[in-house]
Amino acid sequence: MQIVCAPSPCHSFCNRWSFKGQKARAVRQGIMMPRTYFSQAAKLSRRTALTLALGTALWLPFSAVEAEAAPKTALTLGMAIEPTGLDPTIAAPVAIGQVTWQNIFEGLVTIDSKGQVKPQLAESWQISPDGKTYTFKLHRGVTFHDGEAFDSSVAKFSLDRARGESSVNPQKRFFASIDTIETPDPETLVLKLKQPAGSLIYWLGWPASVMVAPKTAETNRTTPIGTGPFKFVSWAKGDKVELEKNPSYWDKNVGVKLEKATFRFVSDAQAQAAALKAGDIDAFPEFGAPELMSSFDGDARLGTFVGNTELKVVAGMNNARKPFDDKRVRQALMMAVDRPTVIEGAWSGLGTAIGSHYTPNDRGYIDTTGVYPYDVEKAKALLAEAGYPDGFSFTIKAPQMAYAQRTSQVLQAMLAEIGVTMTIETTEFPAKWVADVFKGSNYDMTIVAHAEPMDIDIYSRNPYYFNYKNPAFNEVIADVEKTADAGEQEKLYGEAQKILAEDVPALFLFVMPKLGVWDKKVKGLWQDEPIPSNVLTDVRWEE
């Protein structure tokens, strides 16, 4: 599982919700700076801190010209969440890959900015007619940052490590279909599968599938060594990770322009805006406050960019716990939710409504938002039919991120309209949330943005935190992997979406857009996000 983190709310809002014609309208009644406001400022420059102390990042008394000019071969990139480690093959948080994937670590194949699979450490591959033998031809002359050679034996080590019995790889399921791995020569890798795996090539491009060296695999969490165009320099926890250009990078067709890249971690959105305007951060590819995007309008130096993501915001229910074990209850809750109002209240209207765990970017997408449309009276009737005419009470464990808190507040007001009382319990993310929800299943409802592309199969995994069990759905997902025919796979994905829209194991809400703010002279950053990342290979400054 990969889940995305977003920054804490930039303001503490006192919301009053009123319903007229069964439509929610949020009225903000005052602004109070959070305690993290000035603690975040302390980690930034003196100028940024002064900007914050004077009151707001929206009106900055310093011009971009006054800010210290960034070196044209260096980039400081902001992230809302600091990674828990730097090895994407042993932990799930998205932030790990956003620092390391395609910068430090590479895979046999990669996924480009359009979401297409491309060769990488493997220059080519062939798949047998029965779909059970994959033969990869590897590039020669590839070395890790410490000089260790990459060859088929290293690739075998990486895949065996990822699929082994003691593996803690967050996507261990990717490799379950592999039966044996052969290395007939240093440049040839052969995967023999137990059964066809139609998505295997795509999965091999993910961060969890990157190649690691036997000598350094155990220390990659803190001192990562890969084959990529950038080398790890240092990690000042709580502040930044620094990378530098790899002068011995194997792919001579790639003209890496940056000599140095620094990832700065700033969770508070006001602090993010201030750092951008002061010039302390050159780019924030995932800016965390949609309500502040307009503050950059007309800025001579900074541009705003809106792209697509795979970030599906869903309110997951514990399907094994009453009353959520009753499909009628889940359906009633879905009909109590007005998605456009949720998007407006949670993310300033920037988002796309979804009716299943699938985005419009994904192949085989169908619009299922009309399966259980917003209808308060029908929701009440269905709830009564399920045995809850007076409603019920439950608790939602909501991570501290802005989108989760705001969405929970909107849902709380909407569900009250059908007599359901929802208590919001803010839950620290990732550690507490992972322990209570993801691993412990100790929750009623939760809310999180799932970042994995086309991860609709999570509802067939057992165990998984939804505790949803549907043999018919599981069969459809299994059939997807039995065929490599794209048309047949898309048809099956459509069937899977319909089943989830009908069963409602989670409240399917909206897809978050990718909101970016960066210096207009910075080119090559991905505007869209087919996979969570900050790929720096093509990033450069242009005058």
Side-chain angles (χ1 to χ4, degrees):
M1 174 192 183
Q2 284 185 311
I3 46 186
V4 71
C5 306
S8 303
C10 58
H11 298 140
S12 175
F13 292 116
C14 176
N15 290 328
R16 180 178 74 242
W17 293 92
S18 61
F19 288 78
K20 182 178 179 181
Q22 301 166 349
K23 290 286 288 184
R25 297 177 183 275
V27 180
R28 293 176 180 168
Q29 293 186 324
I31 299 174
M32 176 180 69
M33 296 299 177
R35 294 179 67 182
T36 58
Y37 185 82
F38 291 104
S39 65
Q40 287 291 341
K43 296 179 183 178
L44 303 175
S45 74
R46 184 177 179 182
R47 172 168 294 169
T48 304
L50 178 59
T51 298
L52 291 166
L54 288 174
T56 179
L58 299 180
W59 297 277
L60 194 65
F62 304 101
S63 70
V65 176
E66 291 177 294
E68 184 179 349
K72 297 304 180 184
T73 57
L75 183 79
T76 299
L77 185 147
M79 287 177 55
I81 296 294
E82 181 175 16
T84 54
L86 297 174
D87 182 355
T89 70
I90 63 170
V94 167
I96 301 173
Q98 288 177 317
V99 172
T100 63
W101 184 71
Q102 297 304 304
N103 299 325
I104 296 174
F105 294 114
E106 299 176 306
L108 294 174
V109 300
T110 187
I111 297 170
D112 68 12
S113 61
K114 304 300 181 183
Q116 301 300 309
V117 176
K118 300 293 183 181
Q120 195 160 67
L121 297 178
E123 62 182 28
S124 63
W125 59 88
Q126 292 182 333
I127 304 173
S128 63
D130 65 359
K132 295 174 65 175
T133 301
Y134 286 63
T135 303
F136 296 89
K137 196 67 175 177
L138 307 183
H139 278 284
R140 295 183 179 182
V142 177
T143 60
F144 286 86
H145 299 151
D146 62 354
E148 184 174 357
F150 169 78
D151 59 19
S152 60
S153 67
V154 174
K156 181 180 187 303
F157 165 81
S158 297
L159 295 177
D160 281 342
R161 176 174 176 265
R163 73 193 185 99
E165 185 175 342
S166 61
S167 170
V168 293
N169 191 291
Q171 306 298 348
K172 187 176 179 179
R173 66 188 176 89
F174 286 176
F175 317 103
S177 63
I178 299 175
D179 187 20
T180 61
I181 302 177
E182 300 173 0
T183 56
D185 60 63
E187 285 80 46
T188 306
L189 179 74
V190 181
L191 307 184
K192 296 290 185 69
L193 308 187
K194 303 169 189 174
Q195 66 274 333
S199 301
L200 181 61
I201 286 292
Y202 181 66
W203 288 338
L204 288 174
W206 284 37
S209 302
V210 296
M211 298 289 102
V212 298
K215 293 180 182 179
T216 53
E218 295 306 311
T219 57
N220 278 336
R221 186 181 185 280
T222 54
T223 53
I225 293 178
T227 62
F230 290 90
K231 300 170 64 175
F232 171 77
V233 176
S234 65
W235 182 8
K237 292 189 177 181
D239 184 16
K240 63 184 178 181
V241 168
E242 293 182 309
L243 309 181
E244 66 182 8
K245 183 177 179 179
N246 175 15
S248 302
Y249 184 51
W250 62 273
D251 191 346
K252 304 308 178 184
N253 295 319
V254 175
V256 178
K257 302 298 183 183
L258 294 179
E259 295 290 337
K260 179 180 178 181
T262 301
F263 291 85
R264 294 288 301 274
F265 310 117
V266 185
S267 64
D268 184 82
Q270 288 280 7
Q272 294 172 12
L276 282 162
K277 293 197 173 189
D280 294 323
I281 289 177
D282 302 312
F284 224 105
E286 290 190 2
F287 186 66
E291 70 277 7
L292 294 182
M293 287 290 281
S294 61
S295 72
F296 300 99
D297 291 349
D299 192 294
R301 182 174 58 87
L302 298 170
T304 57
F305 307 87
V306 179
N308 299 320
T309 76
E310 290 289 326
L311 300 176
K312 300 164 285 290
V313 179
V314 304
M317 291 170 277
N318 190 340
N319 286 235
R321 180 177 292 186
K322 290 185 177 299
F324 307 106
D325 59 344
D326 190 325
K327 180 167 66 173
R328 294 169 298 179
V329 170
R330 304 195 302 266
Q331 293 167 341
L333 296 184
M334 191 73 263
M335 286 193 289
V337 175
D338 180 24
R339 292 182 181 90
T341 303
V342 170
I343 297 169
E344 184 62 40
W347 220 235
S348 298
L350 298 170
T352 303
I354 52 173
S356 181
H357 198 97
Y358 222 63
T359 81
N361 303 322
D362 300 332
R363 56 196 182 93
Y365 170 79
I366 58 175
D367 184 358
T368 55
T369 53
V371 174
Y372 287 106
Y374 177 56
D375 192 321
V376 169
E377 294 308 315
K378 286 185 178 181
K380 289 180 179 178
L382 191 55
L383 208 57
E385 180 185 318
Y388 300 94
D390 300 319
F392 60 91
S393 299
F394 72 94
T395 297
I396 183 171
K397 291 191 174 183
Q400 74 273 18
M401 291 89 77
Y403 76 87
Q405 291 291 309
R406 296 173 186 172
T407 302
S408 296
Q409 292 165 10
V410 180
L411 292 177
Q412 184 182 54
M414 290 179 171
L415 297 183
E417 288 293 291
I418 63 170
V420 173
T421 300
M422 184 177 82
T423 300
I424 300 172
E425 179 183 320
T426 299
T427 303
E428 186 272 331
F429 188 97
K432 181 66 172 172
W433 186 90
V434 169
D436 285 1
V437 178
F438 189 63
K439 291 184 177 180
S441 287
N442 180 23
Y443 78 105
D444 297 324
M445 181 183 285
T446 190
I447 186 166
V448 76
H450 285 253
E452 292 179 0
M454 298 179 66
D455 60 346
I456 194 169
D457 70 295
I458 60 177
Y459 296 88
S460 67
R461 299 182 200 173
N462 186 22
Y464 205 75
Y465 78 91
F466 300 116
N467 290 315
Y468 171 68
K469 294 177 173 59
N470 186 328
F473 179 83
N474 297 348
E475 184 177 351
V476 170
I477 294 300
D479 287 344
V480 170
E481 291 307 310
K482 292 177 182 177
T483 178
D485 183 88
E488 181 62 23
Q489 285 187 334
E490 289 182 10
K491 179 182 176 182
L492 291 166
Y493 280 129
E495 292 178 18
Q497 292 169 69
K498 291 176 183 177
I499 293 173
L500 291 188
E502 170 65 26
D503 274 3
V504 198
L507 301 180
F508 303 110
L509 302 173
F510 66 99
V511 181
M512 297 174 69
K514 186 175 189 289
L515 306 179
V517 182
W518 57 77
D519 193 301
K520 295 174 184 176
K521 292 182 179 179
V522 174
K523 308 296 181 182
L525 286 170
W526 287 11
Q527 182 168 324
D528 295 323
E529 190 174 74
I531 191 166
S533 57
N534 288 305
V535 181
L536 300 176
T537 310
D538 297 323
V539 176
R540 62 202 180 278
W541 288 87
E542 287 187 358
E543 293 298 330

